[in-house]
Each structure stands twice: as C-alpha cells, then as structure tokens.
Amino acid sequence: MMPRAGLLGVWLALALWPLLKAAAVRLPTLPSITNKKFINSCVHVHNDLRSNVQPTASNMRYMTWDAALARMASARANKCILEHNVSLSKDDQHHPNFTSVGENIWFGSHETFVVADAIKSWYNEVEFYNFTAEECTKVCSHYIQVVWDESYKIGCAVTSCKEFARIRNAAVLVCCYSPCGNFSRRPYIEGTPCSNCTEGDTCEKNLCRNPVRDKAIYYSKWQHSWEFRAVCNEACITLIFLRASLLFLTFVAGCFIQKHFTDFHMTT
C-alpha cells in the first residue's frame, strides 16, 4: 500500500494538473516592451521602410525607441478595444516631452503574429496613396504615419486579447509615434536622400540622424494617467487563480502533515 505521504503527493498533483495545464496554454508568449529583440525589430523595420520610400525622401528622419511611448502603447493595447486612443488629442494626456502622439493599431491571430509583417501591413497601404496628387483612394493613414518625415521617436507594444474584432486569442500591436503626422500635406519632401536634413544631422542609409534626437530617455518617475487602467486578461486571471490555489493547497497539506505525521522527523 502506498504511504500517506505518497497519496498526498498524488492528490496534490491531480488537483493542480488542470490549473497547470490551463496556465501553460494561456500564458502569453508575446514579447514585453522591454524585450530587446522586439524593440530592435520595431525600430529596424520602420527605419528600413522609411529609407526606401518611393519617390525618395530628402528629409526623412531616423527613428529611435522611446520608453514612454511604449508604455502608452502598452496601456492602450491591454484594453483590447478596436478604436484609437481619443485621449491623445487632450493636452493633459500627452507624452512628457512631446505635444503630439500618433498611433497605429494592428490585430490578427496570436499564433501567426510577426512584428515585421504587422508593420509592413501598415506600409502596404502605399498602394492606395498617390504621392504626386496627394490623394488616397482607400485607407492610407497607417502608411502616412510610418513614413512621416518629422516623426523620430517610436514605442510599440503587443498583447494577447481573448477576443478582438471577432478574432479569438488575438494579438494586438500598437505603435505610438512622436511627433505625430498631421496628414495635411505629403508625408515627406521628395528629393535626394538627406539633402534636406536639418543642421547638425548626419546621413545614415538615406535617413537624417541627430545625437540629440536619438538620445534615449527612460522616464523613471513618469506615469501616464490611464496607464494603470489596463484590463487583466485571461492569462493574468489564470495566474492569480493559480497562485491563490497553490497557497490554499499548501495550507491544507501543512495541516494534513501536522495532523497525521506528528512523529515524523527529518534525518541527515
């Protein structure tokens, strides 16, 4: 016959198995806003697309990562709502250093999410945009923001949503840009690459770079006013429930051992 300690172990394993299985399935595998590979991919893909626009741009700025924009994007993505952030138009809702913030949203299957493909899908709206006539025949706003010449800071975030725009287990990518594209003109000035960069800029792969603009700032004391209103998704709820269950089962196991194994002593 199996000893009581063994039976207790089997009982605990059986009790925890559904929880562990659920957690393994539902825990997010998407990168965080501090994941270096994710950050580098977001920056690289944007700059690669911006450096290869047609017709060529004479004043296209190089983009670098911004931690505050990434946190704004994360707070928005976690809401799992298919609409742009209207609070970006309010003076008291802006970035600590910028007075305008642009926003692009992509959503699709969690399993097939690739950050480069998502960003390129925004750029692909170029097929609907006539640069010479400055006309759009369908949706072009995402493309225009990706190649907006004055934008030089970006922050992105991706999250899992139980359901988003009728897609179950969706991935939602949000990218915030500063300065924002205002769409009242062409997105950049056509011409020889870097021929219209501002004073103090250098040219790198057809893009205007500047050490002041490219400087990284971490905003350690800044919090966005709606950053903490992010919704706890299914994976979050699973973790909370799992932790509470583990604490309860640990307490029960302790009581069981104390009651039935009072003469048990550890030996070395």
Side-chain angles (χ1 to χ4, degrees):
M1 177 179 292
M2 185 180 293
R4 291 182 177 181
L7 289 172
L8 178 61
V10 172
W11 179 79
L12 285 174
L14 291 174
L16 288 174
W17 173 246
L19 297 174
L20 295 172
K21 184 178 179 181
V25 172
R26 296 173 184 174
L27 283 176
T29 57
L30 299 173
S32 71
I33 59 175
T34 59
N35 182 286
K36 291 184 178 180
K37 184 177 180 180
F38 173 72
I39 292 173
N40 291 337
S41 183
C42 290
V43 172
H44 172 76
V45 174
H46 273 88
N47 283 326
D48 185 58
L49 294 171
R50 289 164 70 84
S51 67
N52 290 290
V53 292
Q54 293 295 327
T56 57
S58 64
N59 65 328
M60 188 72 75
R61 289 175 169 178
Y62 182 88
M63 279 187 166
T64 53
W65 189 258
D66 185 88
L69 289 176
R71 282 154 59 182
M72 293 172 71
S74 178
R76 189 60 189 173
N78 285 335
K79 291 181 180 295
C80 295
I81 300 175
L82 183 56
E83 59 184 38
H84 284 284
N85 183 9
V86 295
S87 69
L88 293 178
S89 62
K90 300 177 182 179
D91 292 339
D92 62 345
Q93 299 291 325
H94 283 149
H95 186 282
N97 285 348
F98 295 106
T99 58
S100 65
V101 176
E103 182 183 73
N104 277 351
I105 301 175
W106 174 95
F107 59 92
S109 169
H110 179 285
E111 291 78 13
T112 60
F113 169 74
V114 178
V115 64
D117 293 342
I119 295 170
K120 289 175 182 177
S121 72
W122 294 331
Y123 182 87
N124 289 341
E125 292 177 2
V126 65
E127 66 177 295
F128 308 119
Y129 186 72
N130 186 312
F131 187 91
T132 302
E134 198 178 334
E135 293 178 349
C136 180
T137 58
K138 198 173 180 181
V139 177
C140 305
S141 58
H142 302 93
Y143 159 74
I144 291 174
Q145 179 59 84
V146 168
V147 300
W148 192 257
D149 51 6
E150 293 182 349
S151 300
Y152 63 91
K153 285 296 184 182
I154 184 176
C156 302
V158 61
T159 191
S160 299
C161 294
K162 184 177 180 180
E163 186 169 346
F164 192 93
R166 298 182 180 180
I167 298 177
R168 292 191 60 81
N169 300 319
V172 178
L173 174 72
V174 177
C175 285
C176 290
Y177 307 79
S178 284
C180 173
N182 60 29
F183 314 128
S184 61
R185 59 168 174 82
R186 293 184 180 93
Y188 56 86
I189 300 174
E190 180 182 358
T192 303
C194 297
S195 61
N196 275 320
C197 291
T198 58
E199 185 178 355
D201 286 1
T202 59
C203 186
E204 181 177 320
K205 296 181 179 178
N206 298 335
L207 302 175
C208 304
R209 296 204 64 171
N210 186 289
V212 176
R213 290 198 304 265
D214 296 349
K215 183 180 179 180
I217 304 174
Y218 297 100
Y219 313 97
S220 59
K221 297 182 180 180
W222 176 79
Q223 296 290 346
H224 201 281
S225 60
W226 40 265
E227 185 171 356
F228 294 107
R229 292 205 293 267
V231 177
C232 184
N233 60 20
E234 189 174 1
C236 169
I237 294 172
T238 300
L239 277 176
I240 293 174
F241 180 70
L242 178 59
R243 289 176 178 177
S245 299
L246 285 172
L247 286 174
F248 174 75
L249 290 173
T250 300
F251 173 76
V252 171
C255 292
F256 181 87
I257 292 172
Q258 185 177 23
K259 181 178 180 180
H260 296 281
F261 298 93
T262 54
D263 296 329
F264 178 80
H265 298 284
M266 293 293 294
T267 60
T268 57

